[in-house]
Amino acid sequence: MGRPVVFAKRLVRFVLRWLKSSWEQGRFQAPAIPHLSIETTNVCNSDCVFCANRVMSRRKGPLRMDRFARAVDDFVALGGTRMDFNVTIGDPLLDPYLLERARYVSRYRQIEGLGFVTTLQWLHRFPLDEFFEAGFTWLSISTVLSGREQYRAFFGVDMYERMLANLLVLLDENAKRNHPIGVHIEIKPTDEPTETILSHPDFERVSRLSGQDLATQVKNRGFFVDDWQGAVTLPPYLKLRPLYPRTRYPCRMLYKGLTVYSNGKVGACQCRDFDASSELILGSVDDGLGAHWNGPGLQGLRQRWLERNEIPAICRSCRYYMR
């Protein structure tokens, strides 16, 4: 399936979602309880072709454990059930307190699941028994499975063999334990023919072991991404996602949840604010999550966009705007 056909199908789906959302009841009403994402660290060794890691200027390091505990405790007190360790920038496997944090979350039975997105380059740092017993219920693996050179071209590091070894171990150990962790593999777009990927021995091996339909994913892979408000120069084969209209229609992310950054700041959306310095920053985790979710800062952002079309600067050119 050619790239124009894939894009056309996605455009049709977007238009249908757009029309449906226009009559969606309660679209501009935030739920009483937010979703919570905690960026446990903003450290990442990779230099991916479409990531702002290379231009991020905020201090790199893990979230302090006392602030982490405050965030989790506040979230539980609000009645929260859905949280993750997803980041704006970073790989949670480089967080020195990762397993300690997961065990802390696991003390609260009301939390329905826990996981994060990772390159899996650093899984070997952890004893496998401890990792599986920490309480993670899902992992999303961002990777390339068509060889060392393609991996290095996309991720900017020569860690293909290490990633592959970690992935094979994870799939094998997860199967032995009756799949306590839902493992999702996301194949990143590379500048090579589809058949080259599908016929690579590593791709075929992982496809068999994962039980995931990776072939369909590759055939339908998208080449449209965001450039972080122009902060990143994309390679020629990647294209900018369309900049969809958003007049008086606040992004859905402002009604979804909160993000706690590794420096302790709390934001209304983790999507593009790589320096945690935009208008979407509501304050500090020390203020309490309830004060941010129910406070005038976030409510004002939504209302000014909806009633006066005052769109936050970072949102005006964001290509991950959600209708």
Side-chain angles (χ1 to χ4, degrees), residues 86-251:
N86 282 343
V87 303
T88 299
I89 303 287
D91 191 324
L93 289 178
L94 288 172
D95 174 16
Y97 310 111
L98 179 63
L99 299 189
E100 181 181 352
R101 299 189 203 274
R103 287 190 285 264
Y104 189 92
V105 173
S106 297
R107 300 188 315 170
Y108 293 108
R109 299 301 181 186
Q110 73 190 60
I111 304 299
E112 296 175 352
L114 182 66
F116 55 89
V117 179
T118 175
T119 63
L120 211 68
Q121 295 169 7
W122 301 99
L123 180 65
H124 59 283
R125 298 175 63 238
F126 301 91
L128 280 176
D129 286 341
E130 292 185 27
F131 188 84
F132 274 93
E133 293 168 2
F136 296 115
T137 58
W138 64 269
L139 292 175
S140 181
I141 317 300
S142 296
T143 195
V144 167
L145 290 172
S146 47
R148 179 180 179 184
E149 292 306 315
Q150 290 293 341
Y151 190 90
R152 181 164 52 190
F154 186 90
F155 288 96
V157 290
D158 190 10
M159 295 193 68
Y160 180 73
E161 284 80 6
R162 171 57 69 186
M163 174 283 301
L164 184 61
N166 286 343
L167 179 56
L168 293 174
V169 167
L170 174 66
L171 294 174
D172 181 59
E173 292 295 328
N174 199 39
K176 289 178 180 177
R177 291 169 165 82
N178 199 26
H179 303 280
I181 298 177
V183 178
H184 174 77
I185 300 172
E186 182 181 357
I187 307 296
K188 310 309 289 186
T190 53
D191 190 17
E192 56 186 326
T194 297
E195 290 305 319
T196 300
I197 301 172
L198 298 181
S199 62
H200 195 282
D202 293 337
F203 178 87
E204 293 178 338
R205 182 180 183 186
V206 171
S207 293
R208 289 193 301 271
L209 293 174
S210 70
Q212 190 178 330
D213 187 3
L214 298 180
T216 297
Q217 184 185 141
V218 170
K219 293 174 184 177
N220 294 330
R221 59 189 167 148
F223 294 87
F224 291 86
V225 298
D226 183 76
D227 64 354
W228 305 78
Q229 289 76 53
V232 174
T233 301
L234 300 173
Y237 76 92
L238 291 179
K239 308 300 180 184
L240 286 174
R241 291 164 61 105
L243 194 63
Y244 295 112
R246 58 207 65 190
T247 301
R248 295 182 182 274
Y249 215 97
C251 179

Side-chain angles (χ1 to χ4, degrees), residues 4 17 66 85 100 108 113 147 172 176 215 243 259 282 296 323:
R17 288 197 305 270
D66 62 319
F85 288 171
E100 181 181 352
Y108 293 108
D172 181 59
K176 289 178 180 177
L243 194 63
T259 293
L282 304 172
R323 174 76 171 184

